[in-house]
Amino acid sequence: MGLFKKTKVNIDPDRLPNHVGIIMDGNGRWAQKRGLPRYAGHVAGAKVFKTIAYYARDIGIKNLTVYAFSTENWQRPQEEVSRIMKVLEEFIDDALNTFEKEKVRIRFLGDTSVFTGVLREKMDRIVAVTDHFPGLTLNIAMNYGGQHEIVHGVQKAMALAQKGELQPDELTPDAFGKMLYFDDCDAVDLIIRPSGELRLSNFLLWQSAYAEFWFSDILWPDFKPAHLDQAILEYQKRNRRFGGV
Ligand code: FPP
């Protein structure tokens, strides 16, 4: 474990959560509190996202999924949606310039078929050039909804069944888990939600069956590596029983 950055608090490097999920909430309120337009909160939130992603890698987290844009977020004003897409594009441009140094495997979780043109090309490119990195896998949930993901899995299973390639009793939870957007998306161990909201909001519904939660009133643009440390420390104090005793 000497390879990884030491945290300020006493985190046990051998009992890190394998998969951390973060709902990056509170950007709009952060901006409004400062008399700024909402998109300024997303710009600030994007900086924090980058800091936290690379910090997660440095301390040895293997899988991080961040909720960047949900299937419901299209209902926001067009201007705000465009700004979030711009923030995403800027993150990818930066990652395309630095991926050899940063060594993070980047993927997009969700129905990405809606993204076209230059943004889509950049998404595909960053996925392709970072695919071989073995350290942190960073899943950026874009146009993601947990219910959509499950329905997508059911559709896949039904198509296989129609072709006679899947029998009902072969559809176990493990088999179904491989029909979701990624066939290798591990169960999420720890879900972090800042901004004071205490809900899951359609995030990783299937993967969160036994997730531990860490909630905080901090708004996402104020989130620091020390908050991730705190969440992990708290996680390591939990007694996870997975339905056993
Ligand atoms: C929720 O806060 C946040 C979002 C819908 C967008 C999240 C985007 C970022 C953190 C920027 C990084 C994103 C990418 C694509 C790399 P909110 O706007 O709902 O905040 P509020 O509840 O205070 O209004």
Side-chain angles (χ1 to χ4, degrees):
M1 273 296 161
L3 279 175
F4 297 114
K5 189 175 188 146
K6 254 186 103 51
T7 52
K8 292 218 172 67
V9 290
N10 228 359
I11 288 176
D12 178 349
D14 296 322
R15 287 193 308 119
L16 288 171
N18 167 57
H19 185 181
V20 176
I22 305 183
I23 302 176
M24 304 185 289
D25 198 10
N27 295 346
R29 277 165 286 168
W30 182 92
Q32 276 160 351
K33 268 176 50 181
R34 287 163 177 74
L36 298 168
R38 288 178 56 81
Y39 74 79
H42 299 313
V43 173
K47 277 198 193 133
V48 172
F49 154 66
K50 199 173 127 184
T51 303
I52 295 299
Y54 295 148
Y55 180 71
R57 170 205 58 200
D58 292 346
I59 62 171
I61 300 290
K62 301 298 283 181
N63 298 280
L64 174 66
T65 301
V66 293
Y67 208 4
F69 194 82
S70 76
T71 42
E72 288 69 41
N73 286 153
W74 297 106
Q75 299 163 31
R76 294 186 177 212
Q78 174 60 38
E79 161 79 3
E80 185 175 342
V81 171
S82 312
R83 294 285 189 158
I84 295 175
M85 297 305 157
K86 190 159 181 288
V87 158
L88 172 69
E89 196 170 335
E90 284 167 0
F91 169 75
I92 300 175
D93 285 341
D94 180 63
L96 282 169
N97 285 326
T98 56
F99 73 92
E100 280 171 15
K101 172 167 86 73
E102 300 297 357
K103 297 188 168 37
V104 169
R105 180 182 182 218
I106 297 174
R107 310 193 289 184
F108 297 95
L109 177 70
D111 177 6
T112 54
S113 64
V114 298
F115 300 107
T116 54
V118 175
L119 178 59
R120 180 58 199 238
E121 282 165 26
K122 289 181 180 177
M123 289 166 87
D124 289 347
R125 176 115 193 90
I126 195 68
V127 170
V129 297
T130 63
D131 190 46
H132 61 291
F133 288 128
L136 171 70
T137 293
L138 171 63
N139 300 312
I140 305 177
M142 284 300 301
N143 193 31
Y144 176 83
Q147 291 180 338
H148 284 79
E149 182 175 31
I150 292 170
V151 169
H152 164 88
V154 171
Q155 287 171 343
K156 251 181 152 170
M158 287 176 74
L160 286 173
Q162 269 181 343
K163 287 192 278 175
E165 292 171 17
L166 180 74
Q167 297 306 313
D169 62 351
E170 291 169 348
L171 193 63
T172 59
D174 271 354
F176 184 67
K178 293 187 173 48
M179 294 181 194
L180 298 172
Y181 287 136
F182 295 137
D183 62 7
D184 62 348
C185 187
D186 292 340
V188 61
D189 300 297
L190 171 64
I191 292 185
I192 295 173
R193 182 166 194 162
S195 95
E197 310 293 354
L198 307 179
R199 51 179 175 266
L200 197 49
S201 299
N202 208 9
F203 184 52
L204 298 180
L205 293 185
W206 178 266
Q207 298 86 345
S208 64
Y210 281 99
E212 299 292 329
F213 288 87
W214 191 81
F215 294 112
S216 157
D217 288 340
I218 303 146
L219 301 174
W220 176 250
D222 293 326
F223 198 94
K224 304 274 182 299
H227 296 119
L228 182 60
D229 289 348
Q230 253 180 50
I232 295 173
L233 192 64
E234 173 96 13
Y235 165 87
Q236 292 187 334
K237 291 182 188 152
R238 306 262 176 96
N239 177 12
R240 301 185 79 196
R241 292 189 297 278
F242 299 94
V245 286

